[in-house]
Amino acid sequence: MELLKPEKTPSLPDTVGERVRSARPCGSDRHTREHDPAFFRVLGEIAQILNQSSHEQDQLNKVLSLVAGATCSQGAALYKKSLTNGGGCRLELMANWLEQHSHSPPSACLVGLQSTDISPSQWKRLEQGESTTLCFQGREARVEGLVTPLFPDNQLSGLLIPAGMQPTPATMDFLWSVARVFELWMGKLNLEKRLTDVINFAPTPTFVMNADEVITDWNRATEEMTGWKAERIVGKGNYENGIPFYDERRPTVSNLIMYPDKLWESTYPEFQRAGDEIHSIAYCPALPGGGAFLSCKTMKLYDTGNRLVGAIHTVRDITLEREMKKSLHRSESMYRAISDFASVGIMVFDGAGIVYYNERLATFMGIHEQEISLTDFLDWIHSEDRMQIETHVNALLQGHHANLRFEFRAAHKCCLRSYRALAQLMEYDDRPAIHLILDDVTEQKEVARKARLNELRLYHEDRLIALGAMAAGIAHELNQPLNTIRVVTDGFLYGREQCWELVPEELFDGLAMVSRQIERMTKVIQNIRNFAREDRGAALEEVNANRAIENTFSMIGHQLEAHGIRVEKDLTVGLPPIKANLNRLEQVIMNLVVNARQALDACQRTDKRLWIKTGSNNGSVYIEVSDNATGIPDDCLIKIFDPFFTTKEVGMGTGLGLSISQSIVAEFKGRIEAFNNDRGGASFLVTVPRGM
């Protein structure tokens, strides 16, 4: 049955008795007046019991027995009205009292009352604050009961029902007063529930203690932290609250804030009073997981009369936080020790100035007796490099780069030294900063310069060795055009001796032949000169791999023919250029061809062949040099590019040709590989990225 609800909560009548003046009296006015003093005593006793009780069943039953006795009722019941999810309501019996010696007790009637037992019109009167009479059907008789509504917090929330009572003006006034006491008591329960709900909702472990040092609230977060349910500890005193934290009965901060004890206070790592609050840190060994450090905040609670009524205590687990602080402190100490010991200068600075620098940086700058400022650092840098450093710093602070590497020069003891820097963007105190690491590379650069000179000298010597190995072929390349020139000139001289008639066409044809042979020799000599030249610091440029091959074979092509080696070229037309150095690329090709020729000379084949092929694939250009000799043993393939490794006889090779070739190709950002081919010989594959 759907219940009727008022549009708004009505104001309560001054007295419910005024609405039942016409009710059937119980006895004379004299009888009622004789009970007036008893009404007051009973009302006071009821108020005292409810004030001392929250919801103890025996205490509530006792209160109802007093109500029934004062009103000459056969029994009394107290119901709580609760709303349901469907929008209706249900009645929950909170307490009841029944007269044991009554001839017609309303036993099942009072106890089994349902919300549907009350008609909509009766609900409407109750919602408006009016009492209404209900009839209860017992096992032996019908009993009437006067239902008095209870309005704690101005909402119909309960029913007080004395059964079998004959109303009089005095009893009705008494019931009205009892109803107001119950309303105050139920309002107190509502307030306590709201407080409990709020405390339970708090994510921070929290408990409340009254002035008698008894726990009154223990929220869910505290249950989760300690493993102790609220029902296990609420209502307990005698330092019971110390057991979940310390595994013993002892005062906690919630006790000590109300009742100070210097000895117990000294057991806390931190304990600071600030008015009615205490901030402390406690180590609690009994907490699950092997104990924990807790940050505690405790505050005194007062009533409206400024009387101390208890304390509220909140805690926060800071075990991990303390460990992190210790780790951070250890890390900072270790970082400072390492950075001061390191051979590099370290500095952290932001737009405001230098945040940190180590001793090595001070040594680099030659400043030890004063704090180094950002201006000191910039003045230390060589004037020609200072603008570049400022540009890099601004680019980092503006977020254009995450890190930058650069070099600069700076003064040190009246001389310039070179420094290599790594600058990284970082965050310091919620603002961008730069972490700078400096390394003095003056000696390294000098060593690298000398090593580079030695490397270039080694490259040059390797080219000369290759030219020496090909000396016969070079001589053949020059002898052939010289022989042609000699034949032409000797023919003209012989004709002159024989007085032949000089035909102009024959003269010009002979001169043209001589010119072509001279151009051929010039080209061979120029290639030899270029190949033998020491190209120190030569820059990389766009080079055509086919041209490097043709230049190389112009010097040694005929020698290969003289050794009975058949050369097959498969050069791709329109080959993309690569970023390289022409002379060094020729040196690589020369080394590979010389190695192939020597391998073919050492084998017993009658059909000796050398293949050279070019092409492009996946953004790279490749050069492949192959032969059909005997190939490379498997145990030599993995170390064939090692310096000074050779399979040739003593005096036949230095073991540096392939190692140098690998270094040259690496300069071109390429790679060189060796493998055995299906023709029985070895193949070398040079791959270099395209230059555009």
Short mmCIF file of all heavy atoms in Angstrom, two decimals, residues 442-461 534 536-537 584 660 663 667:
data_model
loop_
_atom_site.label_atom_id
_atom_site.label_comp_id
_atom_site.label_asym_id
_atom_site.label_seq_id
_atom_site.Cartn_x
_atom_site.Cartn_y
_atom_site.Cartn_z
N THR A 442 91.58 18.54 -23.57
CA THR A 442 92.74 19.12 -24.25
C THR A 442 93.74 18.05 -24.64
O THR A 442 94.17 17.96 -25.81
CB THR A 442 93.41 20.17 -23.35
OG1 THR A 442 92.43 21.11 -22.90
CG2 THR A 442 94.51 20.90 -24.10
N GLU A 443 94.13 17.21 -23.68
CA GLU A 443 95.09 16.15 -23.98
C GLU A 443 94.51 15.13 -24.96
O GLU A 443 95.21 14.64 -25.86
CB GLU A 443 95.53 15.44 -22.70
CG GLU A 443 96.51 16.22 -21.83
CD GLU A 443 95.84 17.33 -21.05
OE1 GLU A 443 94.58 17.33 -20.98
OE2 GLU A 443 96.55 18.20 -20.51
N GLN A 444 93.22 14.82 -24.80
CA GLN A 444 92.60 13.86 -25.72
C GLN A 444 92.62 14.37 -27.15
O GLN A 444 92.89 13.61 -28.09
CB GLN A 444 91.15 13.59 -25.29
CG GLN A 444 91.01 12.93 -23.93
CD GLN A 444 89.56 12.73 -23.54
OE1 GLN A 444 88.69 12.64 -24.39
NE2 GLN A 444 89.30 12.69 -22.25
N LYS A 445 92.32 15.66 -27.33
CA LYS A 445 92.32 16.22 -28.68
C LYS A 445 93.72 16.20 -29.28
O LYS A 445 93.89 15.95 -30.49
CB LYS A 445 91.77 17.65 -28.65
CG LYS A 445 90.29 17.73 -28.36
CD LYS A 445 89.81 19.16 -28.26
CE LYS A 445 89.77 19.85 -29.61
NZ LYS A 445 88.72 19.31 -30.48
N GLU A 446 94.74 16.44 -28.44
CA GLU A 446 96.11 16.40 -28.95
C GLU A 446 96.49 14.98 -29.36
O GLU A 446 97.10 14.76 -30.42
CB GLU A 446 97.07 16.94 -27.90
CG GLU A 446 98.53 16.95 -28.32
CD GLU A 446 98.79 17.86 -29.50
OE1 GLU A 446 97.98 18.77 -29.77
OE2 GLU A 446 99.83 17.67 -30.18
N VAL A 447 96.13 14.02 -28.51
CA VAL A 447 96.40 12.62 -28.85
C VAL A 447 95.65 12.22 -30.10
O VAL A 447 96.17 11.53 -30.98
CB VAL A 447 96.01 11.70 -27.66
CG1 VAL A 447 96.05 10.24 -28.08
CG2 VAL A 447 96.95 11.94 -26.49
N ALA A 448 94.39 12.66 -30.22
CA ALA A 448 93.60 12.33 -31.40
C ALA A 448 94.20 12.95 -32.66
O ALA A 448 94.20 12.34 -33.73
CB ALA A 448 92.16 12.81 -31.22
N ARG A 449 94.73 14.17 -32.50
CA ARG A 449 95.36 14.82 -33.66
C ARG A 449 96.58 14.03 -34.13
O ARG A 449 96.76 13.79 -35.34
CB ARG A 449 95.76 16.25 -33.29
CG ARG A 449 96.29 17.08 -34.45
CD ARG A 449 96.78 18.43 -33.97
NE ARG A 449 97.98 18.30 -33.14
CZ ARG A 449 99.21 18.18 -33.64
NH1 ARG A 449 99.42 18.18 -34.94
NH2 ARG A 449 100.24 18.06 -32.83
N LYS A 450 97.39 13.60 -33.18
CA LYS A 450 98.57 12.82 -33.55
C LYS A 450 98.17 11.47 -34.12
O LYS A 450 98.78 10.98 -35.08
CB LYS A 450 99.47 12.65 -32.33
CG LYS A 450 100.10 13.94 -31.85
CD LYS A 450 100.98 13.70 -30.63
CE LYS A 450 101.63 15.00 -30.16
NZ LYS A 450 102.47 14.81 -28.95
N ALA A 451 97.14 10.86 -33.53
CA ALA A 451 96.68 9.56 -34.04
C ALA A 451 96.14 9.71 -35.45
O ALA A 451 96.34 8.82 -36.30
CB ALA A 451 95.61 8.99 -33.12
N ARG A 452 95.46 10.83 -35.71
CA ARG A 452 94.94 11.05 -37.05
C ARG A 452 96.06 11.20 -38.06
O ARG A 452 96.00 10.67 -39.18
CB ARG A 452 94.07 12.31 -37.05
CG ARG A 452 93.43 12.65 -38.38
CD ARG A 452 92.51 11.55 -38.82
NE ARG A 452 91.84 11.90 -40.06
CZ ARG A 452 91.18 11.04 -40.82
NH1 ARG A 452 91.12 9.76 -40.44
NH2 ARG A 452 90.60 11.42 -41.93
N LEU A 453 97.13 11.91 -37.67
CA LEU A 453 98.28 12.04 -38.56
C LEU A 453 98.90 10.68 -38.84
O LEU A 453 99.26 10.37 -39.99
CB LEU A 453 99.31 12.99 -37.93
CG LEU A 453 98.91 14.47 -37.87
CD1 LEU A 453 99.98 15.27 -37.13
CD2 LEU A 453 98.69 15.03 -39.26
N ASN A 454 99.02 9.88 -37.78
CA ASN A 454 99.58 8.53 -37.98
C ASN A 454 98.68 7.68 -38.87
O ASN A 454 99.16 6.89 -39.69
CB ASN A 454 99.79 7.85 -36.63
CG ASN A 454 100.88 8.49 -35.81
OD1 ASN A 454 101.80 9.11 -36.37
ND2 ASN A 454 100.79 8.39 -34.49
N GLU A 455 97.36 7.85 -38.69
CA GLU A 455 96.42 7.08 -39.50
C GLU A 455 96.53 7.48 -40.97
O GLU A 455 96.56 6.62 -41.86
CB GLU A 455 95.00 7.31 -38.99
CG GLU A 455 93.95 6.50 -39.73
CD GLU A 455 92.55 6.81 -39.22
OE1 GLU A 455 92.38 7.83 -38.55
OE2 GLU A 455 91.64 6.02 -39.51
N LEU A 456 96.62 8.80 -41.20
CA LEU A 456 96.76 9.26 -42.58
C LEU A 456 98.07 8.78 -43.20
O LEU A 456 98.12 8.39 -44.37
CB LEU A 456 96.69 10.79 -42.63
CG LEU A 456 95.32 11.41 -42.29
CD1 LEU A 456 95.44 12.93 -42.21
CD2 LEU A 456 94.29 11.01 -43.34
N ARG A 457 99.12 8.78 -42.38
CA ARG A 457 100.41 8.30 -42.87
C ARG A 457 100.32 6.81 -43.20
O ARG A 457 100.88 6.33 -44.19
CB ARG A 457 101.49 8.56 -41.81
CG ARG A 457 102.90 8.33 -42.31
CD ARG A 457 103.92 8.71 -41.25
NE ARG A 457 103.88 10.15 -40.97
CZ ARG A 457 103.45 10.66 -39.84
NH1 ARG A 457 103.03 9.88 -38.86
NH2 ARG A 457 103.44 11.98 -39.66
N LEU A 458 99.59 6.06 -42.35
CA LEU A 458 99.43 4.63 -42.60
C LEU A 458 98.62 4.39 -43.88
O LEU A 458 98.95 3.51 -44.68
CB LEU A 458 98.73 3.98 -41.41
CG LEU A 458 98.63 2.45 -41.41
CD1 LEU A 458 100.01 1.82 -41.39
CD2 LEU A 458 97.82 1.98 -40.20
N TYR A 459 97.55 5.20 -44.06
CA TYR A 459 96.79 5.08 -45.30
C TYR A 459 97.68 5.33 -46.51
O TYR A 459 97.61 4.62 -47.52
CB TYR A 459 95.64 6.10 -45.32
CG TYR A 459 94.50 5.79 -44.39
CD1 TYR A 459 93.51 6.75 -44.16
CD2 TYR A 459 94.41 4.56 -43.73
CE1 TYR A 459 92.46 6.48 -43.30
CE2 TYR A 459 93.36 4.29 -42.87
CZ TYR A 459 92.38 5.25 -42.66
OH TYR A 459 91.35 4.99 -41.82
N HIS A 460 98.51 6.37 -46.42
CA HIS A 460 99.39 6.73 -47.53
C HIS A 460 100.38 5.61 -47.82
O HIS A 460 100.60 5.25 -48.99
CB HIS A 460 100.12 8.03 -47.18
CG HIS A 460 100.98 8.55 -48.28
ND1 HIS A 460 100.47 8.97 -49.49
CD2 HIS A 460 102.34 8.71 -48.37
CE1 HIS A 460 101.46 9.36 -50.27
NE2 HIS A 460 102.60 9.22 -49.61
N GLU A 461 100.95 5.05 -46.77
CA GLU A 461 101.91 3.97 -46.96
C GLU A 461 101.22 2.75 -47.57
O GLU A 461 101.81 2.05 -48.41
CB GLU A 461 102.55 3.60 -45.63
CG GLU A 461 103.48 4.69 -45.10
CD GLU A 461 103.99 4.38 -43.70
OE1 GLU A 461 103.55 3.34 -43.15
OE2 GLU A 461 104.79 5.17 -43.17
N GLU A 534 99.01 12.26 -50.32
CA GLU A 534 98.62 12.20 -48.90
C GLU A 534 97.54 13.26 -48.66
O GLU A 534 97.84 14.44 -48.52
CB GLU A 534 99.83 12.45 -48.00
CG GLU A 534 99.53 12.26 -46.52
CD GLU A 534 100.78 12.36 -45.66
OE1 GLU A 534 101.86 12.53 -46.22
OE2 GLU A 534 100.64 12.27 -44.43
N ARG A 536 95.50 14.70 -46.36
CA ARG A 536 95.22 14.98 -44.95
C ARG A 536 94.00 15.91 -44.83
O ARG A 536 93.95 16.97 -45.43
CB ARG A 536 96.42 15.63 -44.28
CG ARG A 536 97.65 14.74 -44.23
CD ARG A 536 98.76 15.41 -43.48
NE ARG A 536 99.95 14.58 -43.43
CZ ARG A 536 101.08 14.93 -42.82
NH1 ARG A 536 101.14 16.11 -42.21
NH2 ARG A 536 102.12 14.14 -42.83
N GLY A 537 93.07 15.45 -44.04
CA GLY A 537 91.90 16.28 -43.76
C GLY A 537 91.00 16.49 -44.96
O GLY A 537 90.28 17.48 -45.01
N ARG A 584 90.37 7.65 -51.43
CA ARG A 584 90.29 6.58 -50.43
C ARG A 584 89.39 5.45 -50.93
O ARG A 584 89.63 4.29 -50.62
CB ARG A 584 89.78 7.14 -49.12
CG ARG A 584 90.77 8.07 -48.47
CD ARG A 584 90.44 8.34 -47.03
NE ARG A 584 91.32 9.33 -46.46
CZ ARG A 584 91.22 9.80 -45.22
NH1 ARG A 584 90.24 9.35 -44.45
NH2 ARG A 584 92.05 10.69 -44.78
N ILE A 660 92.54 -1.39 -42.90
CA ILE A 660 92.48 0.00 -43.33
C ILE A 660 91.25 0.22 -44.21
O ILE A 660 90.55 1.24 -44.08
CB ILE A 660 93.77 0.37 -44.08
CG1 ILE A 660 94.95 0.41 -43.09
CG2 ILE A 660 93.62 1.70 -44.80
CD1 ILE A 660 96.29 0.63 -43.75
N SER A 663 88.28 0.69 -42.03
CA SER A 663 88.27 2.01 -41.40
C SER A 663 87.81 3.08 -42.38
O SER A 663 87.04 3.99 -42.02
CB SER A 663 89.66 2.35 -40.86
OG SER A 663 90.05 1.43 -39.87
N GLU A 667 84.38 5.51 -42.27
CA GLU A 667 84.34 6.96 -42.37
C GLU A 667 83.22 7.42 -43.29
O GLU A 667 82.66 8.50 -43.12
CB GLU A 667 85.68 7.50 -42.89
CG GLU A 667 86.81 7.41 -41.89
CD GLU A 667 88.10 7.97 -42.46
OE1 GLU A 667 88.05 8.55 -43.56
OE2 GLU A 667 89.14 7.83 -41.82
#
